[in-house]
């Protein structure tokens, strides 16, 4: 999650994610500041509307003429899926209700004053470089518990609960200490991306082992192309994701679980050190130091121009670069190669998750309307419409039936199938924004040659220890 920079973050897209460059809306201590602000809006101007009459078509009891406000992150997925698909579905269900729409690329900048005044919108797509801190919002009671949504009858089959219409792990991805607060909607797969045309023209093949990977990077460099790159200005998340994916392959998925749970010494595990050392070598020999000052779209454009061969990201990448991708480029995903023959997970293992986070504001005027908006999103029409607009799969199991994905997403779905049960995820970046920020900073230090692997793990471990000891920070476990 994804849960991620201005992308659509992830099963984590712009993530997940959950999982974007989190310049959250809150200063430290985050919870205290938000709590102080939130109470300032209780002057009656945001009094919640009364519920409506529950029925088969209105199982959540939404007031039929109550307005809802929808705020969408206008990143890699754009806003058309909301304006052309989900909002019309809500209007069809409740024709008397006004649906107010706003799109932004700076969620926290736009919404911080709203939360501070106690007047938040009903529904928020919280993603991008300036997403809000999910953990702090949960701890301060700002997010609506989604249990009622997941237990409600689905739009398409009243005999089936909404929770039974999504892929396994979806609800857990948006849960905090076992309670669901965030809907991660997009099925996101993470890996290393390349152009099928570039590889075919040069006779290159995706690497499965580290030896093959280094040989591939060497051959690419000999052609005068930068072998590997990511954007240090706002997308270091992409690279720490690769390092931790490598660590999970080396030592197994408990490596990531220990990190998420703030276990003592989790970042100093041998698997993390080995992964960091391997990727530090890639940064030193096969990347470009000037990329540290570039944004993700700058480096992604260089890849579309065949100046960069390999780029780490989630499978939102293809849609995000649609306007700049030349004909025949054909994005393809390569899982992170195995480091040694003794790795606990196979080369096909990968990180995948439900990404691109959405929430309902508990203190909005019409939270029931926000929940119903999500229910419409999770219908077959909502899911298929999203996929048709943005060319990305959702977590709704029936949402992609019969859809022909473009080459990149098709390759990520094939990789997901090949991974079988060897699919994993991580959560610390969505739970602890401060730790995510530290990991990004340390990753740039490592990949651009200013620290080694030992200093990398030491630095992040120090921040993790501080968070663990800080009683003002709500802790989450899995």
């Amino acid at each position: 999650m994804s849960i991620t920079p201005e992308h659509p973050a992830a099963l984590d897209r712009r993530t997940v994610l959950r999982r974007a460059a989190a310049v959250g809306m809150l200063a430290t201590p985050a919870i205290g500041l938000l709590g102080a602000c939130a109470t300032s809006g209780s002057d009656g101007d945001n009094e919640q509307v009364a519920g409506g009459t529950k029925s088969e078509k209105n199982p959540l009891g939404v007031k039929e003429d109550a307005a809802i406000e929808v705020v969408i992150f206008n990143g890699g997925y754009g806003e058309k899926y909301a304006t052309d698909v989900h909002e019309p579905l809500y209007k069809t269900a409740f024709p008397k209700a006004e649906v107010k729409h706003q799109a932004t690329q700076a969620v926290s900048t736009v919404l911080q004053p709203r939360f501070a005044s106690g007047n938040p919108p009903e529904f928020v797509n919280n993603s991008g470089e300036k997403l809000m801190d999910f953990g702090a919002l949960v701890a301060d009671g700002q997010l609506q518990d989604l249990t009622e949504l997941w237990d409600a009858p689905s739009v398409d089959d009243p005999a089936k609960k909404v929770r039974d219409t999504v892929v396994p792990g979806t609800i857990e991805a948006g849960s905090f200490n076992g309670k669901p607060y965030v809907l991660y909607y997009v099925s996101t797969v993470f890996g290393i991306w390349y152009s099928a045309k570039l590889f075919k023209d040069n006779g290159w093949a995706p690497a499965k082992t580290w030896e093959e990977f280094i040989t591939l990077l060497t051959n690419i460099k000999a052609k005068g192309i930068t072998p590997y790159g990511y954007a240090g200005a706002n997308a270091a998340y992409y690279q720490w994701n690769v390092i931790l994916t490598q660590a999970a392959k080396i030592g197994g998925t408990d490596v990531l679980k220990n990190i998420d749970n703030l276990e003592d010494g989790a970042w100093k595990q041998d698997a993390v050190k080995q992964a960091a050392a391997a990727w530090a070598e890639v940064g030193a020999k096969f990347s470009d130091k000037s990329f540290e000052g570039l944004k993700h779209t700058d480096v992604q454009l260089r890849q579309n121009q065949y100046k960069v061969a390999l780029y780490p990201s989630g499978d939102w990448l293809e849609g995000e670069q649609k306007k700049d991708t030349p004909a025949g480029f054909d994005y393809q995903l390569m899982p992170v190669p195995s480091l040694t023959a003794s790795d606990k997970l196979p080369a096909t293992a990968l990180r995948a998750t439900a990404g691109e986070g959405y929430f309902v504001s508990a203190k909005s005027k019409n939270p029931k309307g926000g929940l119903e908006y999500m229910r419409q999103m999770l219908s077959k029409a909502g899911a298929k419409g999203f996929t048709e607009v943005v060319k990305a799969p959702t977590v709704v199991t029936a949402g992609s039936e019969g859809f022909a994905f473009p080459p990149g997403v098709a390759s990520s779905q094939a990789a997901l199938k090949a991974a079988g049960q060897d699919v994993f995820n991580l959560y610390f970046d969505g739970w602890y924004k401060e730790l995510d920020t530290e990991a990004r900073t340390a990753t740039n230090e490592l990949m651009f040659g200013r620290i080694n692997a030992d200093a990398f793990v030491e630095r992040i471990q120090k921040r993790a220890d501080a968070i663990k000891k800080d009683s003002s920070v709500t802790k989450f476990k899995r």
Side-chain angles (χ1 to χ4, degrees):
M1 69 193 129
S2 264
I3 152 218
T4 186
E6 286 113 15
H7 57 207
L11 262 155
D12 237 90
R13 209 162 299 231
R14 264 165 102 93
T15 141
V16 246
L17 294 272
R18 175 191 191 64
R19 299 166 156 120
V23 181
M25 68 180 271
L26 309 173
T28 304
I31 297 171
L33 175 58
L34 183 55
C37 292
T39 57
S40 65
S42 56
D43 55 5
D45 61 343
N46 197 46
E47 184 177 349
Q48 291 187 342
V49 299
T53 302
K54 289 188 176 183
S55 65
E56 183 176 334
K57 291 187 176 181
N58 185 13
L60 296 172
V62 177
K63 190 172 188 297
E64 296 186 3
D65 61 352
I68 66 165
E69 185 176 2
V70 175
V71 177
I72 298 295
F73 169 65
N74 191 8
Y77 295 137
E79 59 179 308
K80 282 179 65 64
Y81 71 86
T83 58
D84 295 6
V85 180
H86 296 154
E87 291 169 14
L89 284 174
Y90 190 92
K91 282 289 293 182
T92 298
F94 298 96
K96 297 179 182 179
E98 178 186 5
V99 179
K100 303 174 184 177
H101 173 90
Q102 181 176 6
T104 179
Q105 291 189 346
V107 177
S108 63
T109 302
V110 170
L111 293 186
Q112 180 174 357
R114 299 284 304 277
F115 277 83
S117 65
N119 184 35
E122 278 70 27
F123 182 86
V124 179
N125 172 200
N126 187 33
S127 188
E129 184 179 357
K130 293 186 176 181
L131 56 68
M132 292 182 286
D133 185 335
F134 280 118
L137 289 167
V138 169
D140 201 61
Q142 295 290 333
L143 303 193
Q144 181 72 27
D145 183 345
L146 302 183
T147 301
E148 185 179 7
L149 164 72
W150 293 121
D151 287 338
S154 66
V155 171
D156 303 293
D157 182 0
K160 183 181 290 187
K161 292 181 178 181
V162 176
R163 67 170 63 247
D164 298 323
T165 66
V166 296
V167 297
T170 298
I171 299 173
E172 290 76 9
S175 294
F176 294 74
N177 287 340
K179 186 170 290 188
Y181 288 104
V182 180
L183 165 61
Y184 286 111
Y185 186 64
V186 186
S187 171
T188 303
V189 180
F190 295 87
I192 300 171
W193 296 84
Y194 64 94
S195 161
K197 179 182 187 302
L198 180 65
F199 271 47
K200 182 179 179 180
D201 289 349
N202 288 280
W204 299 328
K208 295 181 179 179
T209 69
W210 198 255
E211 182 179 5
E212 291 174 352
F213 188 52
I214 295 301
T215 298
L216 174 62
L217 294 173
T218 301
N219 291 337
I220 293 170
K221 188 174 182 178
K223 285 283 188 176
I225 300 170
T226 301
Y228 186 89
Y230 76 94
N234 71 334
Y237 156 72
Y238 298 172
Q239 186 55 33
W240 72 239
N241 174 65
V242 169
I243 293 171
L244 291 186
T245 295
Q246 192 84 68
K249 290 192 171 188
I250 296 168
T253 57
D254 278 352
V255 170
L256 304 183
K257 185 176 181 180
N258 291 337
I259 286 174
D260 288 340
N261 289 343
L262 300 177
E263 298 290 350
D264 292 341
W267 284 92
K268 293 184 178 181
Q269 295 170 99
D270 286 341
V272 181
K273 285 186 181 181
Q274 290 179 47
W279 282 97
E281 180 184 6
V282 172
K285 297 180 179 179
F286 301 108
S287 193
D288 188 325
K289 292 188 183 300
S290 70
F291 289 178
E292 186 170 11
L294 299 182
K295 294 187 67 174
H296 64 294
T297 47
D298 296 326
V299 181
Q300 290 165 192
L301 178 60
R302 281 165 169 74
Q303 186 180 36
N304 294 148
Q305 296 169 339
Y306 301 106
K307 295 176 181 178
V308 174
L310 298 168
Y311 182 80
S313 187
D315 52 5
W316 62 78
L317 176 65
E318 184 175 38
E320 187 168 60
Q321 291 302 110
K322 183 178 180 180
K323 292 181 180 179
D324 294 315
T325 305
F329 182 90
D330 287 356
Y331 276 106
Q332 294 289 290
L333 179 140
M334 177 179 77
V336 174
S338 298
L339 187 63
T340 73
S342 61
D343 282 5
K344 290 189 176 180
L345 296 180
T348 52
L350 46 75
R351 181 191 176 195
T353 183
E356 194 68 5
Y358 300 81
F359 68 78
V360 175
S361 302
K363 300 179 181 181
S364 62
K365 294 179 181 178
N366 185 17
K368 291 280 190 181
L371 291 175
E372 176 63 29
Y373 187 91
M374 278 190 178
R375 197 174 78 98
Q376 295 296 326
M377 285 176 68
L378 292 164
S379 68
K380 289 181 182 178
K384 287 184 176 181
F386 179 94
T387 296
E388 288 169 358
V389 170
V390 306
K391 307 299 187 288
T394 71
V395 297
V396 179
T397 52
S400 301
E401 291 176 352
F403 186 81
F405 288 106
V409 175
S411 77
S412 69
Q413 294 301 295
L416 184 61
K417 184 177 180 179
Q421 297 300 309
D422 297 312
V423 176
F424 50 84
N425 194 21
L426 48 82
Y427 300 95
F428 81 89
D429 56 323
W431 290 350
Y432 309 109
K433 182 180 72 69
E434 187 180 341
L435 187 56
D436 172 44
T437 300
E438 188 71 6
R440 293 166 189 261
T441 303
T443 296
N444 277 351
E445 294 280 304
L446 177 78
M447 293 297 292
F448 294 105
R450 292 190 293 278
I451 60 175
N452 61 19
D454 286 337
F456 170 81
V457 299
E458 182 72 34
R459 174 171 182 166
I460 306 176
Q461 185 63 59
K462 183 177 180 180
R463 184 56 59 91
D465 291 343
I467 292 171
K468 184 175 183 177
K469 294 175 183 176
D470 188 346
S471 61
S472 71
V473 177
T474 301
K475 310 301 190 299
F476 304 102
K477 288 281 186 179
R478 72 176 177 105

